[in-house]
C-alpha cells in the first residue's frame, strides 16, 4: 500500500530491555464487497488481499488489527475519536493508562491502490493525531511508541478489513525501531503464502529457515529512500524480452499491495508477450483483462532479473498462476490480470512475495530472497 506523496516522521521511545526474535502468524483477509465503491468480484482461491495481524496497544491492552506494510513508515489506526471509522474496530485512548497525547494534528491526502484496484486520484484522506503508547506483538513489547490515531477518514477506507497500518519501510520507525533499540537484530522476514496454503508469517528480528529452500541471495538497496527498492537490469515474459523490457529500472517491493504496477508502455509490452487478447478495461482505467475461460491456459511466467551483492544475476519469478486476480465486478466473464498500468511506478507486491521468502534487512540496507517452501 505505497502511498504516493505522503510521509510523516515519528519520535522513538528508547528503553533498555533485551528483545529476541519472534515469529508471528499473519492472517489473510479479503476486503468485503461494498456497493458504494467499485470492487472486484474476488476469487478467494487465487487472490490474496492483505496479510493482517493484531497489535496490542495500551494498558490494559486493546487489540488493533493492522497490515504490516513495507510501503509506508508509521503506525496509524482508527480511534473512538473518529466518527467516520464506524466500520472498523476503534482504539479508545481514554481507557489506556499509558496513552500520551502528542498534541499535533494533521490531515494528509494521497492516492493509493487498495487490493488489486488501480491507483486513482487523490481520494484518500486521513486526519491523524500524534500520540505515544505501549505496543506489543508476539511477546515483544515496546513502551512509548510513536503512533497516530485516525480521527477522521474518507469513505474510501470503509472497506478495509483492518483498523490500520504498521509501516515497515527502510527507515523503520515506531514499533520496529523501538525493538531494535532494545537489542533486536535490525531485520524482519516475510512468508506471505497463497491463500490456499495459509500459514503466512512474519519473523521480527530474524529468519525462519524452515520456510524456504536453498540459501537466500541478497541484493543491496538501490537508494537510501524510505521505499524498499532494488535495481533490475531487465525482465522477461515466457523466456522472451524486447528493447523496452530489457531496459534497467528500479523496482519497489511493497508487502501492502496485492499485485504489480508498471508504466503503461511496460505493462502493455508484458501483456503483448502473454496474449494479444489482454485488453485495457475502460471502466477502470489502469486495469486489464481477458475472458475468464481463457485465462488459466495462458502461460504467463514473468522473470524479473536482479543482481546479487556478489555481482551475480538472479531472477525473481512470478508464476502463471498469478495472472488472474479474479473477475471484474462490472463484467464477471472477464478476469482482471495481475499488472495495473501506472506511469511513474515499478512496483511488485503480494503476487511475487507469495512465492519468495523475503528478508528485509534494515541494518544491512539489503533484501534477501529464497524460494518459499509452499
Ligand atoms: C532469468 O530469466 C530469463 C528468462 O527466462 C533467462 O533467460 C535467464 O537465463 C534467467 N537468469 C538467471 C540468472 O536465471
Ligand atoms: C515508457 O513510458 C514512460 C512513462 O510514461 C516514459 O518515461 C518512457 O520514455 C516510455 N518509454 C518508451 C520506450 O516509450
Amino acid at each position: 500500500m505505497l502511498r504516493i506523496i505522503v510521509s510523516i516522521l515519528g519520535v522513538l521511545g528508547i528503553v533498555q530491555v533485551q528483545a529476541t526474535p519472534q515469529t508471528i502468524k499473519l492472517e489473510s483477509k479479503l476486503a468485503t464487497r461494498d456497493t458504494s465503491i467499485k470492487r472486484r468480484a474476488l476469487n478467494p482461491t487465487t487472490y490474496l488481499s492483505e496479510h493482517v495481524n493484531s497489535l496490542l496497544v495500551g494498558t490494559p491492552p486493546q487489540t488493533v488489527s493492522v497490515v504490516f506494510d513495507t510501503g509506508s513508515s508509521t503506525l496509524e489506526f482508527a480511534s473512538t475519536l473518529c466518527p467516520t471509522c464506524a466500520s472498523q474496530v476503534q482504539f479508545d485512548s481514554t481507557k489506556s493508562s499509558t496513552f500520551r497525547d502528542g498534541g499535533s494534528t494533521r490531515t494528509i491526502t494521497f492516492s493509493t491502490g487498495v487490493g488489486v484496484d488501480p491507483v486513482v486520484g487523490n481520494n484518500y484522506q486521513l486526519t491523524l493525531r500524534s500520540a505515544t503508547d505501549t505496543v506489543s506483538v508476539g511477546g515483544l513489547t515496546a513502551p512509548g511508541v510513536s503512533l497516530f490515531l485516525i480521527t477522521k477518514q474518507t469513505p474510501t477506507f470503509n472497506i478495509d478489513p483492518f483498523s490500520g497500518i504498521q509501516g515497515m519501510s527502510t527507515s523503520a520507525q515506531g514499533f520496529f525501531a523501538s525493538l531494535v533499540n532494545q537489542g533486536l537484530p535490525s531485520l524482519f522476514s516475510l512468508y506471505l503464502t497463497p491463500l490456499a496454503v495459509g500459514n503466512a508469517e512474519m519473523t521480527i528480528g530474524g529468519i525462519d529457515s524452515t520456510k524456504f529452500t536453498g540459501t537466500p541471495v541478497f541484493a543491496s538497496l538501490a537508494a537510501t529512500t524510505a521505499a524498499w527498492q532494488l535495481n533490475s537490469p531487465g525482465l522477461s515474459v515466457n523466456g522472451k524480452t524486447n528493447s523496452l523490457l530489457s531496459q534497467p529500472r528500479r523496482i519497489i517491493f511493497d508487502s501492502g499491495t496485492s499485485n504489480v504496477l508498471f508504466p503503461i508502455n511496460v505493462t502493455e509490452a508484458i501483456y503483448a508477450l502473454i496474449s494479444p487478447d489482454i485488453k485495457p478495461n475502460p471502466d477502470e482505467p489502469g486495469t486489464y483483462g481477458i475472458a475468464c475461460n481463457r485465462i488459466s491456459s495462458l502461460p504467463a511466467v514473468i522473470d524479473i532479473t536482479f543482481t546479487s551483492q556478489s555481482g551475480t544475476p538472479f531472477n525473481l519469478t512470478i508464476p502463471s498462476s498469478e495472472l488472474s486476480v479474479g473477475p471484474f465486478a462490472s463484467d464477471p466473464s472477464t478476469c482482471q490480470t495481475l499488472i495495473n498500468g501506472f506511469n511513474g511506478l515499478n512496483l511488485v507486491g503480494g503476487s511475487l512475495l507469495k512465492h519468495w521468502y523475503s528478508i528485509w534487512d534494515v541494518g544491512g540496507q539489503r533484501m534477501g530472497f529464497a524460494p518459499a517452501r509452499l
Side-chain angles (χ1 to χ4, degrees):
M1 224 177 285
L2 185 93
R3 286 172 180 180
I4 297 137
I5 298 176
V6 72
S7 120
I8 290 183
L9 301 182
V11 182
L12 308 178
I14 298 175
V15 288
Q16 309 295 328
V17 189
Q18 194 62 33
T20 55
Q22 298 287 329
T23 294
I24 58 173
K25 292 286 168 207
L26 300 176
E27 192 187 341
S28 305
K29 287 206 178 172
L30 292 171
T32 50
R33 300 284 299 283
D34 179 326
T35 49
S36 66
I37 297 169
K38 200 183 282 183
R39 296 295 290 184
R40 220 47 13 84
L42 298 169
N43 174 352
T45 59
T46 57
Y47 167 71
L48 183 56
S49 173
E50 312 281 3
H51 285 93
V52 173
N53 199 268
S54 294
L55 294 180
L56 296 174
V57 182
T59 310
Q62 298 175 44
T63 300
V64 174
S65 67
V66 294
V67 172
F68 286 96
D69 177 23
T70 63
S72 66
S73 299
T74 50
L75 170 59
E76 306 162 0
F77 47 82
S79 74
T80 51
L81 302 172
C82 176
T84 52
C85 296
S87 59
Q88 270 115 18
V89 173
Q90 294 157 276
F91 175 78
D92 186 349
S93 60
T94 64
K95 297 208 168 109
S96 171
S97 63
T98 42
F99 179 84
R100 298 289 175 268
D101 180 53
S104 72
T105 298
R106 68 159 86 187
T107 297
I108 57 174
T109 305
F110 54 95
S111 351
T112 187
V114 174
V116 294
D117 288 353
V119 175
V120 281
N122 279 351
N123 60 352
Y124 288 80
Q125 191 172 75
L126 290 176
T127 301
L128 301 168
R129 178 80 179 169
S130 66
T132 58
D133 207 339
T134 301
V135 177
S136 13
V137 65
L140 294 169
T141 297
V145 171
S146 170
L147 54 85
F148 294 88
L149 300 182
I150 298 169
T151 59
K152 195 172 168 202
Q153 67 183 17
T154 43
T156 39
F157 292 93
N158 289 353
I159 51 168
D160 288 349
F162 45 83
S163 292
I165 195 162
Q166 169 66 71
M168 299 293 279
S169 74
T170 62
S171 47
Q173 296 145 18
F175 177 65
F176 182 68
S178 182
L179 295 175
V180 170
N181 286 330
Q182 293 178 42
L184 191 77
S186 179
L187 60 87
F188 60 93
S189 305
L190 289 174
Y191 175 65
L192 301 180
T193 58
L195 193 55
V197 174
N199 292 321
E201 63 173 47
M202 174 167 69
T203 299
I204 305 177
I207 299 170
D208 180 352
S209 57
T210 66
K211 293 296 189 284
F212 58 84
T213 58
T215 307
V217 54
F218 284 90
S220 301
L221 295 185
T224 54
T225 58
W228 290 93
Q229 47 184 338
L230 299 179
N231 286 322
S232 164
L235 62 90
S236 312
V237 181
N238 296 327
K240 300 196 190 81
T241 189
N242 62 31
S243 59
L244 179 60
L245 299 183
S246 58
Q247 282 173 18
R249 51 184 61 80
R250 233 169 231 190
I251 297 185
I252 295 172
F253 290 79
D254 184 354
S255 68
T257 301
S258 302
N259 59 350
V260 176
L261 296 170
F262 279 121
I264 289 166
N265 52 9
V266 174
T267 301
E268 295 189 348
I270 293 172
Y271 286 146
L273 291 172
I274 299 173
S275 167
D277 298 328
I278 296 177
K279 296 273 175 16
N281 175 0
D283 291 341
E284 292 184 53
T287 66
Y288 294 77
I290 187 170
C292 293
N293 62 12
R294 294 193 47 208
I295 204 161
S296 60
S297 62
L298 287 174
V301 178
I302 302 172
D303 284 308
I304 309 178
T305 306
F306 297 93
T307 308
S308 76
Q309 287 186 306
S310 56
T312 314
F314 66 96
N315 287 336
L316 296 180
T317 304
I318 304 175
S320 305
S321 58
E322 294 295 334
L323 180 62
S324 176
V325 299
F328 283 109
S330 55
D331 174 9
S333 65
T334 301
C335 280
Q336 187 186 344
T337 45
L338 84 164
I339 308 169
N340 289 347
F342 185 82
N343 286 339
L345 272 186
N346 295 281
L347 180 150
V348 293
S351 49
L352 184 145
L353 295 169
K354 280 185 271 172
H355 302 278
W356 296 89
Y357 188 86
S358 56
I359 301 161
W360 309 67
D361 186 350
V362 179
Q365 290 291 290
R366 61 181 189 160
M367 295 188 72
F369 300 93
R373 196 185 281 277
L374 296 178

